[in-house]
Amino acid sequence: MGVISTIFGFCGFGVGISSGLVIGYFLFIYFQPTDVKNPEIRPLVERDSETLQQMLPEIPLWVKCPDYDRVDWLNKFLELMWPYLDKAICKTAKNIAKPIIAEQIPKYKIESVEFETLTLGTLPPTFQGMKVYVTDEKELIMEPCLKWAANPNVTIGVKAFGLKATVQVVDLQVFAQPRITLKPLVPAFPCFANIYVSLMEKPHVDFGLKLVGADLMSIPGLYRFVQELIKTQVANMYLWPKTLEVPILDPSKAYRRPVGILHVKVVKAMNLKKKDLLGASDPYVKLKITEDKLPSKKTSVKHKNLNPEWNEEYNFTVRDPESQAVELAVYDWEQVGKHDKMGMNVFPLKELTPEEPTVKTLDLLKNMDLNDGQNEKPRGQLVVEFIYKPFKEEDLPKSFEESQTVQKAPENTPAGGGLLVVIVHEAQDVEGKHHTNPYARILFRGEERKTKHVKKNRDPRWEEEFQFMLEEPPTNDRLHVEVCSVSSRIGLLHPKETLGYIDINLSDVVSNKRINEKYHLIDSKNGRIQIELQWRTA
């Protein structure tokens, strides 16, 4: 009897389970709940104020603030690269933390502090938007909005007094709005020398802290205390205007700063070969320093003279005496047509002894090709005197900020006067009616200087420097800068036209020592020009 009841019991259990599953399936399929509705999608403007208040923290910044840009591409990049970035960041963090921990633990009588496990988890940070600032200086400023809900596994082992405790950090959340500045921008990869990071507001940091398996943050009052402590400490270190500086490149190599002054005296030329069919030549010398964007300097023209004497002096800024050289070329001046080159030579600065005058007699060559047989023909000689004066160690700028300060004027600056430096950086949106081959023309106290021509370009970049030695400060003077265009074709129709001009009052330059601004060009629809002015005194 007992066996029969057991068999019936098992059969009843199996039939009951099967029947229940079948009935439950049909009830789930055929009886839909009436209180569940499809979500209704409506524009934000149609939402009531209470709903908007609840949604506001979750709305991305690029929706609320039009000056923030979407950076979905950056979030996608982080998502794909995160497994590799995680390992690289953790390795770097360990290398940075180890010497700091080793220096601090003796103060608290702790034997050792080690990372047992360190991983940032599988969830990368996301950028809700990014604002980019455009300045006239050589820098790039970005303000991203960062949100990171991470699942890290950071386990730290602490040994003290013969005991060991394990602390684990879990469930990390970080909301921050940093300002990242890349400066100075330099012509060497990765194109910036330093990264400066500061926080524009106190960050929100939330995490779980476990000690021997127990959640320490569940202790009453400890959670809020730790939150405020972290916010205060981070704000004291990095809240703007305080910054964290991360060096990337050596500024002395990335941003080639001046290290000395080269004085060049063009004394005379001897036994020049005449270029004119009738009569002697009219020689003059063009000289420049290599690896420098500044235009060449010229001596005066000595008419009908094959043994001219100039005794004219020029100064050049030296940035790398090991690689730079002085390039000298003698030309025959022509009133009409192209000036013929009579000869040239190059003298490397590394052959000079600092502070010692060096007089060199250079043989003029056709070019610097050693295999060219025409260089063996005599073309005359050029006598030049060089003096290289390196800056003293205390006068060299130690940082980028110091290199941006105005330099002192040369030794031969008149007492009470100074050196006015005009740096023409670039122009934007300049356009002519017939052609756009712009160059900048500078007029100051009757002197005229010109930049190089840039063909077919509405946004030319010159980066050329001009200097004016003055016996008194230009307090009441104005600087006239004009952007012109010349036709690249030979013809009498529209050979030259003006694209815009600006008159700059120099009184502010004398008082501020340095001004770097963009000016709107007069008689131009949208044209602008960036000019840097410096007033250097002895």
Side-chain angles (χ1 to χ4, degrees), residues 56-124:
L56 197 60
E58 303 301 326
I59 298 177
L61 269 178
W62 57 266
V63 177
K64 297 182 288 187
C65 304
D67 51 346
Y68 277 84
D69 297 321
R70 295 181 65 174
V71 284
D72 294 342
W73 64 270
L74 182 57
N75 293 327
K76 188 66 176 179
F77 172 81
L78 288 176
E79 180 183 352
L80 297 175
M81 293 293 295
W82 187 246
Y84 310 98
L85 291 173
D86 178 20
K87 295 179 181 179
I89 293 172
C90 291
K91 182 179 180 181
T92 304
K94 284 183 178 180
N95 295 335
I96 295 175
K98 281 183 180 179
I100 298 176
I101 293 174
E103 182 182 354
Q104 296 295 327
I105 58 176
K107 300 179 182 179
Y108 304 97
K109 298 181 180 180
I110 298 175
E111 296 178 11
S112 66
V113 176
E114 297 180 353
F115 288 98
E116 295 185 355
T117 58
L118 177 58
T119 174
L120 301 179
T122 58
L123 301 176

Side-chain angles (χ1 to χ4, degrees), residues 404-534:
Q404 289 294 90
T405 57
V406 178
Q407 305 173 18
K408 293 183 178 180
E411 295 179 357
N412 57 349
T413 304
L419 186 69
L420 176 65
V421 180
V422 181
I423 304 175
V424 184
H425 290 290
E426 61 178 350
Q428 297 175 346
D429 295 330
V430 292
E431 186 174 5
K433 294 181 180 180
H434 307 284
H435 44 75
T436 306
N437 305 311
Y439 69 93
R441 176 171 168 263
I442 299 173
L443 291 176
F444 178 70
R445 291 187 177 179
E447 293 188 51
E448 181 183 21
R449 308 285 177 86
K450 295 180 181 180
T451 66
K452 61 184 178 183
H453 296 72
V454 181
K455 293 184 177 180
K456 298 180 180 179
N457 197 327
R458 295 180 56 193
D459 303 306
R461 177 179 289 272
W462 295 291
E463 300 293 346
E464 295 189 24
E465 177 180 315
F466 305 94
Q467 298 180 353
F468 300 90
M469 188 70 70
L470 306 178
E471 296 182 355
E472 57 183 12
T475 307
N476 301 318
D477 291 286
R478 300 175 73 88
L479 181 74
H480 180 82
V481 181
E482 184 177 359
V483 180
C484 304
S485 174
V486 292
S487 176
S488 58
R489 301 176 180 177
I490 300 176
L492 299 177
L493 292 177
H494 315 295
K496 176 183 175 182
E497 60 178 295
T498 301
L499 308 183
Y501 71 93
I502 185 68
D503 289 317
I504 304 174
N505 194 330
L506 299 180
S507 59
D508 291 339
V509 184
V510 176
S511 57
N512 297 326
K513 302 300 182 183
R514 177 179 180 267
I515 292 178
N516 185 15
E517 293 184 2
K518 287 185 178 179
Y519 300 90
H520 288 275
L521 292 171
I522 301 174
D523 291 344
S524 176
K525 185 177 181 181
N526 298 313
R528 293 177 298 168
I529 187 169
Q530 182 181 351
I531 297 177
E532 181 179 347
L533 302 172
Q534 296 181 11

Side-chain angles (χ1 to χ4, degrees), residues 226-238:
V226 173
Q227 284 276 327
E228 294 300 324
L229 180 63
I230 292 176
K231 288 183 181 181
T232 303
Q233 291 299 323
V234 174
N236 289 339
M237 292 188 294
Y238 304 122

Side-chain angles (χ1 to χ4, degrees), residues 235-295:
N236 289 339
M237 292 188 294
Y238 304 122
L239 192 64
W240 190 86
K242 297 180 180 179
T243 59
L244 168 66
E245 181 180 354
V246 182
I248 303 297
L249 298 175
D250 184 2
S252 62
K253 297 180 180 179
Y255 189 82
R256 301 178 65 186
R257 298 170 297 190
V259 296
I261 295 293
L262 176 67
H263 301 277
V264 181
K265 182 179 181 180
V266 182
V267 182
K268 62 180 180 179
M270 301 179 295
N271 305 320
L272 297 177
K273 303 302 178 183
K274 68 176 184 177
K275 289 286 185 178
D276 297 336
L277 295 178
L278 300 176
S281 299
D282 306 316
Y284 70 93
V285 181
K286 289 179 66 174
L287 59 162
K288 63 174 295 185
I289 192 167
T290 58
E291 302 179 21
D292 200 338
K293 296 181 180 180
L294 297 179

